[in-house]
Amino acid sequence: MRPFGIATLVLSLLAAAPPVLADGDDVVIEDAWSRASIGTSRPGVAYMTLRNTGAEPVMVTGMRTDLAMMPMIHATTTDAQGVTRMSHMEEVEIAAGEAVALAPGGLHVMLMDLQRPMVEGESYTLSVIFADGTEASIQVPILGMASRGPAD
Amino acid sequence: MRRRALLRYGTLGLAAVAVTLFAGWWQVEGPGAPDIAMGDRRPLPLTNMDFTLTDHEGRPVGPETLIGRPSLVFFGFTWCPQVCPTTLADISHWLDGLGAEAGILNTVLITVDPERDTAQAMAEYVGYFHPQIRGWTGTPAQIARAAEGFRVRYEKVALDGGNYTMNHTAGVFLFDATGALVSIIDFHEPREFALPKIRRAMERSEPGTG
Ligand SMILES: [Cu+2]
């Protein structure tokens, strides 16, 4: 019953506390890019840097795009045995004045259930969803499959 | 106050997700593998391995294919949008950086996902990267046997929607021309450490220096 107790406490805190989170307006999104895909059966990936220019922390709770039915933020971790795995991040916090990089080898947006192939040279719209319900939309350029980023 | 609550909530959410992923796991391990201390699991010399696979052009290959020239071998799968393209893009970049001398280096991606990575799927995939990169696949049993020689671990993880992904050892193994392990490029180590390691494997392969 303990987990249920904590969940209840959290919900009551959410209901009672005044909102202090900053808007998505405070977040600048830089260096977004994706790799081209082979067809639509494999998942795609998107990278970017999220910079919080506000005075309050910002929480990213998800992504939305018509390119993929299930875009989700994944973390990549490697254990002591060198085994690499991805885990779904339901929330990513960006501290005030800080930046979080979604980059090859680390955090990334996994674009599951692609609706069309990701073609090098094209771009698509991706919306970053914040905890306060606001969204920030960006155009993400699609680079080559073997690209290492916009500066490559 | 609200921030604390959200963070707490976030932790609970992450825990729930982790449990879901663990429940979907099954682990593929070679015979006797659990007896070996995990930290010491370095690949055997290629000369002590025994496996047969198929390359992306349908030719039979094995550890003996790699003897005689220095080799760069890593495990992955082509359904992975993150670790594998990143590693393949890095390797392509290193091969370009080595220039003509890279021509002697065997460069092989062995799939940990033989179910989806047919020879044809491997051919299509490696075609997007440096032309020297070869893709090897096989039956699940053949892949398990190869992975055991390299002391590579891999496990299938269920994803929402009926799909799955693979957790796997992501290091890049470097062997000299005799098949001895020279070093491992870890996935998370700074990439500038890689070229000197590859050069060392290539130098150890020159006559009289090994
Ligand atoms: Cu992912």
Side-chain angles (χ1 to χ4, degrees):
Chain A
M1 287 321 282
R2 192 174 159 74
F4 182 73
I6 291 171
T8 309
L9 173 68
V10 168
L11 286 174
S12 57
L13 284 171
L14 278 173
V20 291
L21 277 181
D23 277 342
D25 294 343
D26 287 333
V27 176
V28 177
I29 303 167
E30 299 162 338
D31 297 331
W33 65 285
S34 271
R35 283 180 209 289
S37 71
I38 302 175
T40 56
S41 56
R42 294 173 173 88
V45 73
Y47 301 112
M48 71 201 70
T49 300
L50 300 157
R51 191 176 302 283
N52 181 2
T53 60
E56 294 290 336
V58 168
M59 195 78 78
V60 177
T61 55
M63 302 275 169
R64 199 166 55 81
T65 173
D66 67 359
L67 175 67
M69 295 298 278
M70 282 201 301
M72 32 171 100
I73 302 172
H74 279 177
T76 309
T77 53
T78 304
D79 68 17
Q81 286 80 50
V83 175
T84 295
R85 49 178 56 96
M86 301 189 296
S87 47
H88 177 194
M89 302 288 286
E90 302 215 319
E91 295 176 334
V92 173
E93 193 195 56
I94 315 168
E98 299 289 316
V100 168
L102 280 66
L107 285 172
H108 56 281
V109 184
M110 186 101 150
L111 301 168
M112 321 253 279
D113 203 350
L114 285 183
Q115 298 301 293
R116 53 185 188 271
M118 298 171 73
V119 179
E120 182 176 354
E122 294 184 356
S123 68
Y124 63 94
T125 306
L126 179 75
S127 300
V128 181
I129 305 167
F130 300 94
D132 63 357
T134 55
E135 295 188 7
S137 292
I138 48 164
Q139 278 297 112
V140 183
I142 301 171
L143 308 182
M145 173 106 85
S147 178
R148 307 202 307 163
D152 202 15
Chain B
M1 207 54 191
R2 178 152 178 233
R3 182 159 88 82
R4 284 192 70 88
L6 267 177
L7 277 174
R8 193 75 177 273
Y9 193 62
T11 309
L12 286 173
L14 266 183
V17 169
V19 167
T20 314
L21 289 178
F22 272 93
W25 272 8
W26 66 94
Q27 205 164 301
V28 186
E29 280 284 324
D35 298 339
I36 302 162
M38 286 330 216
D40 312 332
R41 286 173 62 90
R42 294 168 73 79
L44 299 175
L46 289 169
T47 45
N48 290 12
M49 293 189 201
D50 178 21
F51 63 83
T52 305
L53 294 174
T54 305
D55 78 3
H56 67 269
E57 293 174 314
R59 282 193 285 259
V61 287
E64 67 286 349
T65 311
L66 302 174
I67 305 292
R69 296 199 289 160
S71 299
L72 184 160
V73 181
F74 70 106
F75 284 73
F77 65 113
T78 80
W79 252 255
C80 136
Q82 155 74 350
V83 177
C84 303
T86 300
T87 303
L88 280 166
D90 284 342
I91 288 170
S92 301
H93 185 77
W94 301 332
L95 292 174
D96 287 341
L98 289 166
E101 45 174 332
I104 62 158
L105 196 65
N106 294 312
T107 311
V108 179
L109 160 65
I110 301 178
T111 184
V112 293
D113 184 14
E115 214 176 296
R116 292 184 295 202
D117 284 338
T118 60
Q120 194 189 338
M122 294 298 275
E124 186 177 21
Y125 193 77
V126 299
Y128 283 92
F129 299 92
H130 194 284
Q132 209 163 312
I133 299 171
R134 316 285 303 170
W136 290 8
T137 185
T139 64
Q142 287 175 322
I143 293 293
R145 196 176 169 93
E148 178 50 26
F150 287 92
R151 302 293 189 244
V152 158
R153 292 156 52 88
Y154 57 103
E155 47 210 1
K156 199 171 184 175
V157 184
L159 291 173
D160 296 340
N163 285 324
Y164 65 90
T165 189
M166 305 292 298
N167 296 339
H168 63 90
T169 306
V172 175
F173 306 122
L174 293 165
F175 298 90
D176 68 17
T178 71
L181 180 75
V182 177
S183 68
I184 300 173
I185 304 167
D186 289 324
F187 182 63
H188 275 130
E189 82 180 70
R191 296 328 240 174
E192 62 268 25
F193 293 176
L195 269 188
K197 285 184 173 181
I198 298 172
R199 286 216 172 86
R200 200 162 77 229
M202 289 168 54
E203 277 158 20
R204 283 213 357 200
S205 300
E206 284 165 15
T209 59

